């Protein structure tokens, strides 16, 4: 058995399209899905900084070109304070990003929003800065229907 290892993502994508493993290939002029899927927040904040907003605009451009793709926005908070407030804050973070995507032309039907409070820490609960975050998860059409 021969195994070919490729470290060129574009070459891998082209091979997958040719093999019928992918539905469609992105053309050179169409936007690509940004690699950055996680954004962090300051204490008790729910707005993104300018650099994060620019990356979010790249996600919006990709989603506008891919109307069959849905995105799940997961808001998170650290464990400081009451859990009711942390749930509220995480939901506020997620809805603020959803609102920004809609303002950039993404259809509301492409967006799913969840606020998890501090129930799903990324790091140790004591590492509060790492846990104050928002994560984007792209869903295929099959996964989106299952929600």
């Amino acid at each position: 058995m021969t195994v070919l290892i490729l470290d060129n993502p574009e070459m891998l994508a082209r091979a997958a399209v040719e093999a019928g493993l992918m539905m469609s290939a992105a053309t050179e002029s169409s936007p690509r899905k940004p690699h950055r899927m996680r954004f962090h927040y300051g204490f008790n904040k729910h707005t993104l900084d300018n650099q994060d907003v620019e990356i979010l605009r790249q996600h919006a451009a990709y989603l506008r070109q891919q109307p069959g793709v849905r995105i799940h926005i997961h808001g998170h908070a650290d464990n400081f304070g009451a859990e009711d407030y942390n749930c509220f804050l995480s939901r506020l973070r997620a809805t603020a990003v959803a609102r920004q995507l809609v303002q950039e032309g993404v259809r509301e039907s492409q967006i799913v929003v969840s606020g998890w409070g501090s129930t799903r820490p990324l790091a140790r609960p004591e590492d509060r800065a790492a846990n104050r975050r928002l994560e984007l998860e792209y869903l295929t059409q099959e996964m989106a229907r299952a929600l």
Side-chain angles (χ1 to χ4, degrees):
M1 177 174 170
T2 303
V3 176
L4 176 63
I5 299 175
L6 298 175
D7 63 355
N8 184 331
E10 289 180 30
M11 191 179 252
L12 285 170
R14 235 184 347 261
V17 168
E18 290 170 6
L21 299 175
M22 290 178 61
M23 297 292 255
S24 64
T27 62
E28 292 300 319
S29 63
S30 67
R32 296 178 187 205
K33 179 173 66 172
H35 294 288
R36 184 151 169 238
M37 307 293 271
R38 186 177 296 142
F39 303 90
H40 290 275
Y41 292 86
F43 177 73
N44 204 27
K45 302 293 181 197
H46 70 277
T47 57
L48 296 172
D49 64 25
N50 291 337
Q51 182 182 11
D52 292 339
V53 169
E54 185 54 40
I55 293 169
L56 194 60
R57 284 187 178 122
Q58 294 171 17
H59 282 284
Y62 176 79
L63 288 165
R64 282 193 311 266
Q65 294 296 318
Q66 304 293 327
V69 174
R70 295 182 68 192
I71 191 165
H72 193 154
I73 303 171
H74 300 271
H76 300 273
D78 60 25
N79 67 346
F80 189 80
E83 186 57 30
D84 287 346
Y85 180 74
N86 290 337
C87 285
F88 167 76
L89 183 59
S90 66
R91 183 93 177 162
L92 191 61
R93 289 172 175 160
T95 55
V97 166
R99 211 173 310 118
Q100 177 71 31
L101 289 172
V102 169
Q103 288 174 351
E104 293 291 329
V106 177
R107 292 181 296 150
E108 287 183 33
S109 62
Q110 289 179 268
I111 301 171
V112 179
V113 176
S114 295
W116 301 105
S118 64
T119 61
R120 295 183 176 188
L122 176 66
R124 293 184 337 262
E126 302 80 39
D127 189 4
R128 292 187 172 105
N131 293 324
R132 291 188 300 259
R133 70 192 190 283
L134 180 120
E135 295 176 344
L136 303 178
E137 176 187 13
Y138 279 83
L139 307 172
T140 63
Q141 288 180 326
E142 293 78 28
M143 289 176 66
R145 278 190 226 115
L147 288 176

